[in-house]
Amino acid sequence: MPEKIIYLDYAATTPVDARVAQKMAGCLTCEGLFANPASAHAPGRKARGAVEQARVQVAALVNADLGEIIFTSGATESDNLAIKGAAHFYRNKGRHVVTSRIEHKAVLDTCKQLERDGFEVTYIKPDADGLIGPQAVAQALRPDTVLVSIMHVNNEIGTANDIAAIGAIVHAHGAWFHVDAAQSAGKLPIDLKQLPVDLMSFSGHKLYGPKGIGALYVRSQSHVNLDPLIHGGGHEHGLRSGTLATHQIVGMGEAYRIAREEMSKDVTHCSALRQQLWQALHAEVPEALLNGHPTQRVCGILNVGFPGIEGESLLFACHDLAVSGGSACTSADKTPSFVLRALGRDDQLAGSSIRFSVGRFTTKEEVQTAAHIVSGEYHRLRELAPAAG
Amino acid sequence: MSDPFAGYNDTVRTHFRTPRNAGRFAAGHERILAGSAGQRRHGREVEFQLQVTADGRIGDCRYHVYGCPATIALCSLTSEALKGRTPAEAAGFSVVALADQLGLPAEKRDAAVTVEDAVRAAAGRYNAALAVSPAVPQLQA
Amino acid sequence: MSIFLDHNATTPLEPRVLDAMLPLLRGTHGNPASVHRFGREARVALDRARAQVAALVNAQPPQVMFTSGGTEADNLALRGAVHAAPRSRLLVSSIEHAAVQETADALAKDGWAVERIPVDSECRVDLPALEKLLDGGARLVSVMLANNETGAIQDVCAAAGLAHARGALLHTDAIQAAGKMPVDFTALGADLMTLSAHKLNGPRGVGALIRNRRVDLSPQITGGGQEQGLRGGTENLAGAVGFGVAAELARVELNARCRHLRALRDHLEAQLKQLSGVRIFAAHAERLPNTVQFAIDGYAGEWLVMELDRRGFAVSSGSACHSASGRPSHVLLAMGCNDTVARGAVRVSLGVENSVDDLDALLATLGAITARRRGAVAFA
């Protein structure tokens, strides 16, 4: 196994930016901000100050107000809190929820649980490009629909939904709108003063921050109420109890600050690398297929289907590249990606698709090497296989 | 959650990365037995060719394989193991036992069965006539 | 530089724990769910941490489920257990941490039957009362191993025996106990146990629920199938690794730490008793070696805490999680203290880095504050 593995799995998780790590380390030591932010004494107040500064930084990236950001243990918890919280609070108003078939498992598994709790859920099928159209959402709405949850950017194929248009339809209908923005924050502009969104989930570790921290945006203007998921202590306006992990929050804040200041640089960098990777792969493997919409998408994710070869072998052959066969959260499960199948790809092509995701620290050389390895292994496996027919 | 590739030991990995005897015999080769098994839409397809020498033993093998790493490695290992055996012995060769020896996970038993079926289909085409007649036409792959 | 005497609220991170965490914050580290090498390495690190946490409380590694902290683990224990058994009854002691109390309240609001188990004046759970409550049947009994305010240690083993005899499960919140006394999940007979890293010199934002695997739990955070499907979400890798190392250090150094803490605590209590009008809560109960909760006759706890804070001492009046509410401690009220006495409470909770000098400075300051204000009306 070569010493240096090329990491092209930024959509699963990102390395922590060195600047973030430094800020976090500063909070962890005795001289730092280690006290409990809920404590009344001076060290506690200092920790609280750091937490509030981080809240400002997170809010600033998405143009939200300070009081609209609730820290959680991650985007999965944010999704759970938004969906279960709203559905349960408004259960006497209606028991129908709308989502899509290609949401992250954090949303899908939560909706499955709602179904067990007596709710009805409509799962919208994406179009062939992997987009959820506003019209498809409009058709799924019912008089008893209380909540619509549609992701901003899909984690496997990188397509970006028009959440402004979807939100307008949802709001005209009088339902609440939740958006999982774990993959889009810092990569696409998000202006929550303009977007008709009531709840939005964010992650720390998808944007060069630490794992185990996330946030939920709760729009103050819409007065959406949530049943809390975790009780005890009344932290985060009573919506999310539990001692706040100062270093985690500060890390997320710093990561979001950097993302805001360097977004155009990051986007330019990732777009160029993604373009380079696709061109190199396409030149070597002309039959390769791009999964997902070619332009309405996020900059860092490239999902490619390789026809005529078996998926597990392709992934195993590219074992020295850190890439993903699907979403990391389900990748130990060898059933073909439910997202790609929802796009109408057959099992074979869904199985032999690779998600490459580039990021801030990816280099041109890495992309070139990766394209070389993948196309070489593709041709090797292709030659090994019997003639199709 | 476990590593899906954890069941592949170094032997499997080596034969997957550098399979022995892969490909097919060039046209014009004689005394070739061919057989196939599996279907691509079910995730596995194997074509095996056995070259039988004048003394009735397998001199060399070739194969094409579409499938998971275990299927590919088993084709390579089997192609080595068959050399020197009679076709009758090849027909009785247990790829499943080989898979067990390699410690492949139980769910890879289907891969072994597919390779075994392809070998058996090829070896089953051998008969006494082939042993004495060097001019048997190449069987359709 | 202030002197930190509020270790039951949180503890400073042990430098050796920080050393173990820093490489994980700095390098490229995968999502433990990914199949590539980065993901595999992350998973190996996670498994090691799980084994270290298990060893601290004599549990098996697969019994350890990582959560975002003690509060989430308490929530998962209570909600998870009762949601898996419809219309069941829940018994919680009246001195539990807010994470248990408020979860129980929320469950009561959702229609579950919730009863409080009383305690005696020394902050010990009333076992005969528990036995009587169990006659009505219950799905789960929740009794903390050591109380965060008074430090009183509960006879969880006996409570587990009573619960099991009536077919109920036992959950114990061992957040304050772990690292300050021997904790044996197996010997206690508990079915569920909550731990938190930041109370034993580990990082904040990570905790664990220890689960006897025959216990059915309904997950509270879904999506991704992590932690045996009981807790979705990408694992806080650096946090879990820090927790593991902190647990290992706490296990190896337990006796030395306890000796040190007990010596300090005994010194503090002996000197406190020299001040007039001092009352130590749960003085006759078996207590954690690091905790002293006391009141000084005529002084409001909040006022003393503020005065000490101005002079550079971080202590608390009770649970940090309630310091903003201004309500008197529910623990002291449950012990039968009246409102005035309960409002007098000051909690000093010691840590391994404290010294006799720290305490002597605290005592001198307390003496000065009370001498100056002696006779004045302290309840503003």
Side-chain angles (χ1 to χ4, degrees):
Chain A
M1 188 176 282
E3 271 312 293
K4 200 160 154 54
I5 289 193
I6 297 174
Y7 189 79
L8 295 176
D9 206 10
Y10 280 75
T13 190
T14 57
V16 175
D17 191 290
R19 293 166 285 185
V20 173
Q22 190 164 358
K23 281 266 177 187
M24 290 175 71
C27 295
L28 288 167
T29 50
C30 214
E31 299 74 45
L33 303 159
F34 80 94
N36 193 325
S39 294
H41 45 60
R45 289 193 301 271
K46 207 169 134 196
R48 199 155 56 242
V51 166
E52 292 318 308
Q53 193 200 338
R55 210 187 295 277
V56 170
Q57 291 168 323
V58 172
L61 178 67
V62 293
N63 197 21
D65 284 335
L66 190 57
E68 296 178 319
I69 300 295
I70 303 295
F71 284 113
T72 67
S73 70
T76 295
E77 187 190 322
S78 299
D79 286 342
N80 274 258
L81 174 57
I83 295 170
K84 284 183 203 157
H88 282 290
F89 191 91
Y90 295 104
R91 62 181 174 264
N92 294 329
K93 201 181 140 211
R95 296 198 176 203
H96 181 242
V97 172
V98 172
T99 186
S100 86
R101 289 193 198 179
I102 61 166
E103 295 298 309
H104 188 271
K105 287 277 184 193
V107 169
L108 290 178
D109 287 358
T110 301
C111 286
K112 289 274 181 297
Q113 197 175 344
L114 283 182
E115 287 184 281
R116 285 193 292 274
D117 293 345
F119 288 83
E120 281 182 72
V121 181
T122 299
Y123 299 90
I124 300 172
K125 190 177 185 301
D127 66 19
D129 285 327
L131 291 168
I132 308 300
Q135 276 319 305
V137 174
Q139 280 162 18
L141 293 169
R142 305 193 322 207
D144 59 341
T145 305
V146 284
L147 177 73
V148 175
S149 178
I150 300 290
M151 69 201 328
H152 192 185
V153 165
N154 180 269
N155 49 309
E156 285 192 46
I157 54 176
T159 44
N161 292 312
D162 184 354
I163 53 172
I166 296 171
I169 287 168
V170 173
H171 279 181
H173 190 79
W176 304 111
F177 186 35
H178 166 249
V179 174
D180 179 342
Q183 294 289 351
S184 62
K187 291 152 198 158
L188 292 175
I190 296 174
D191 182 347
L192 286 166
K193 293 273 185 291
Q194 302 300 322
L195 286 170
V197 171
D198 305 296
L199 300 157
M200 189 176 264
S201 303
F202 300 105
S203 161
H205 78 101
K206 307 275 189 198
L207 199 54
Y208 313 99
K211 295 180 183 50
I213 186 78
L216 180 67
Y217 159 83
V218 184
R219 190 186 195 82
S220 56
Q221 228 181 296
S222 46
H223 303 291
V224 55
N225 285 302
L226 301 176
D227 263 3
L229 211 57
I230 299 179
H231 294 263
H235 311 74
E236 302 294 273
H237 313 308
L239 280 175
R240 204 289 175 181
S241 295
T243 298
L244 294 163
T246 310
H247 68 285
Q248 297 276 72
I249 291 174
V250 165
M252 182 168 174
E254 178 70 359
Y256 274 56
R257 176 192 71 76
I258 296 168
R260 178 163 171 263
E261 287 169 14
E262 301 182 359
M263 185 147 113
S264 66
K265 197 173 106 191
D266 283 342
V267 168
T268 309
H269 176 69
C270 291
S271 303
L273 291 174
R274 180 182 173 279
Q275 185 65 13
Q276 182 199 343
L277 181 57
W278 171 236
Q279 278 172 354
L281 286 172
H282 201 249
E284 293 290 325
V285 185
E287 60 273 37
L289 291 165
L290 178 69
N291 291 320
H293 196 276
T295 54
Q296 197 175 329
R297 56 179 313 113
V298 78
C299 54
I301 297 177
L302 176 68
N303 195 311
V304 181
F306 293 92
I309 55 171
E310 194 272 341
E312 190 194 340
S313 279
L314 178 63
L315 208 57
F316 190 47
C318 301
H319 209 198
D320 296 334
L321 295 178
V323 293
S324 189
S327 157
C329 298
T330 54
S331 55
D333 171 6
K334 282 177 215 158
T335 53
S337 151
F338 66 91
V339 173
L340 296 175
R341 279 192 303 182
L343 300 197
R345 297 293 195 215
D346 64 27
D347 278 5
Q348 190 277 322
L349 203 53
S352 64
S353 291
I354 289 187
R355 179 188 71 183
F356 304 89
S357 44
V358 298
R360 190 178 286 162
F361 310 114
T362 310
T363 65
K364 281 182 180 173
E365 292 70 31
E366 286 179 321
V367 162
Q368 197 180 345
T369 310
H372 181 72
I373 292 174
V374 174
S375 54
E377 289 298 323
Y378 170 77
H379 288 298
R380 179 174 85 78
L381 292 170
R382 195 67 204 250
E383 277 167 30
L384 211 48
Chain B
M1 229 168 276
S2 62
D3 178 357
F5 304 132
Y8 299 149
N9 68 15
D10 285 345
T11 308
V12 174
R13 284 165 197 258
T14 305
H15 281 265
F16 169 73
R17 282 178 208 286
T18 49
R20 319 285 151 79
N21 312 312
R24 61 166 43 246
F25 291 112
H29 270 255
E30 293 176 336
R31 305 172 69 90
I32 305 295
L33 306 167
S36 63
Q39 282 184 310
R40 188 167 300 211
R41 64 191 166 87
H42 294 150
R44 258 179 217 109
E45 191 181 359
V46 176
E47 290 176 5
F48 238 94
Q49 292 182 314
L50 311 173
Q51 186 180 42
V52 184
T53 57
D55 65 350
R57 291 193 179 268
I58 293 168
D60 206 354
C61 311
R62 292 288 184 273
Y63 56 86
H64 275 304
V65 53
Y66 171 96
C68 66
T71 317
I72 293 171
L74 286 169
C75 282
S76 172
L77 283 156
T78 301
S79 73
E80 290 283 277
L82 293 181
K83 288 181 192 174
R85 293 179 196 250
T86 64
E89 287 166 354
F93 181 76
S94 174
V95 184
V96 172
L98 177 64
D100 287 346
Q101 277 170 35
L102 291 168
L104 285 172
E107 66 266 22
K108 294 296 180 189
R109 194 160 282 238
D110 285 355
V113 170
T114 307
V115 178
E116 203 172 289
D117 285 351
V119 170
R120 194 168 295 162
R125 307 209 170 183
Y126 183 78
N127 56 37
L130 181 71
V132 292
S133 159
V136 170
Q138 226 175 288
L139 293 165
Q140 198 258 318
Chain C
M1 183 62 200
S2 69
I3 295 175
F4 190 75
L5 298 165
D6 195 14
H7 293 80
N8 285 8
T10 193
T11 54
L13 195 70
E14 192 14 89
R16 288 167 289 180
V17 173
L18 179 60
D19 288 344
M21 291 173 70
L22 286 179
L24 288 154
L25 296 178
R26 289 194 176 130
T28 298
H29 288 279
N31 186 325
S34 296
V35 300
H36 48 66
R37 196 175 88 182
F38 294 100
R40 289 197 305 279
E41 286 171 355
R43 206 154 47 233
V44 167
L46 198 61
D47 287 344
R48 187 185 314 124
R50 208 182 294 284
Q52 288 168 320
V53 171
L56 175 66
V57 296
N58 190 29
Q60 298 301 314
Q63 295 177 323
V64 177
M65 287 181 294
F66 286 117
T67 66
S68 70
T71 298
E72 186 193 325
D74 278 339
N75 273 258
L76 175 57
L78 265 61
R79 287 170 176 279
V82 302
H83 282 172
R87 301 297 108 202
S88 49
R89 196 154 159 261
L90 175 67
L91 309 180
V92 302
S93 93
S94 47
I95 55 166
E96 295 298 310
H97 184 268
V100 168
Q101 292 285 358
E102 292 180 17
T103 304
D105 289 343
L107 286 167
K109 226 168 57 188
D110 288 348
W112 305 86
V114 176
E115 304 275 358
R116 293 298 196 286
I117 314 160
V119 296
D120 68 10
S121 61
E122 293 295 315
C123 198
R124 289 173 298 214
V125 165
D126 184 341
L127 292 171
L130 168 61
E131 201 169 4
K132 215 170 278 166
L133 283 166
L134 277 164
D135 286 340
R139 162 75 176 162
L140 183 75
V141 174
S142 184
V143 173
M144 68 198 328
L145 189 47
N147 181 263
N148 49 311
E149 293 191 24
T150 63
I153 296 168
Q154 307 302 320
D155 191 348
V156 168
C157 196
L162 293 174
H164 291 164
R166 303 297 201 292
L169 300 170
L170 184 112
H171 165 249
T172 186
D173 177 337
I175 288 174
Q176 292 295 343
K180 295 172 205 154
M181 60 181 270
V183 177
D184 188 326
F185 177 71
T186 312
L188 280 174
D191 300 288
L192 296 159
M193 176 187 275
T194 302
L195 300 175
S196 163
H198 78 99
K199 309 276 185 182
L200 42 85
N201 303 94
R204 217 115 21 83
V206 58
L209 183 63
I210 318 292
R211 176 182 66 123
N212 179 332
R213 295 223 270 173
R214 65 187 172 83
V215 176
D216 267 349
L217 280 186
S218 149
Q220 300 301 306
I221 297 180
T222 43
Q226 289 91 347
E227 302 296 307
Q228 301 164 34
L230 284 170
R231 203 283 179 182
T234 296
E235 298 87 344
N236 172 3
L237 187 61
V241 165
F243 188 5
V245 173
E248 169 130 1
L249 291 170
R251 182 174 62 83
V252 172
E253 298 175 0
L254 183 66
N255 290 335
R257 289 185 188 184
C258 286
R259 265 198 310 276
H260 174 71
L261 292 171
R262 183 167 289 116
L264 289 181
R265 198 263 318 260
D266 290 349
H267 173 73
L268 175 62
E269 285 196 6
Q271 297 300 310
L272 270 178
K273 285 176 187 157
Q274 305 297 313
L275 298 172
S276 66
V278 168
R279 168 181 176 173
I280 292 170
F281 296 107
H284 304 293
E286 197 189 338
R287 277 178 298 148
L288 292 174
N290 80 318
T291 308
V292 185
Q293 191 178 34
F294 62 93
I296 303 177
D297 195 18
Y299 289 88
E302 290 294 347
W303 184 81
L304 283 172
V305 168
M306 266 165 38
E307 288 298 305
L308 287 170
D309 181 35
R310 282 175 46 195
R311 292 164 173 80
F313 295 91
V315 301
S316 88
S317 57
S319 169
C321 298
H322 274 148
S323 60
S325 72
R327 275 176 288 162
S329 151
H330 72 282
V331 174
L332 296 174
L333 295 180
M335 288 160 62
C337 297
N338 66 35
D339 199 83
T340 310
V341 172
R343 282 182 191 279
V346 174
R347 180 186 69 183
V348 174
S349 47
L350 306 166
V352 281
E353 81 283 3
N354 288 138
S355 65
V356 174
D357 290 347
D358 292 345
L359 299 186
D360 287 343
L362 171 77
L363 287 159
T365 307
L366 258 184
I369 293 170
T370 51
R372 189 163 58 81
R373 293 285 311 248
R374 182 61 63 195
V377 180
F379 291 97

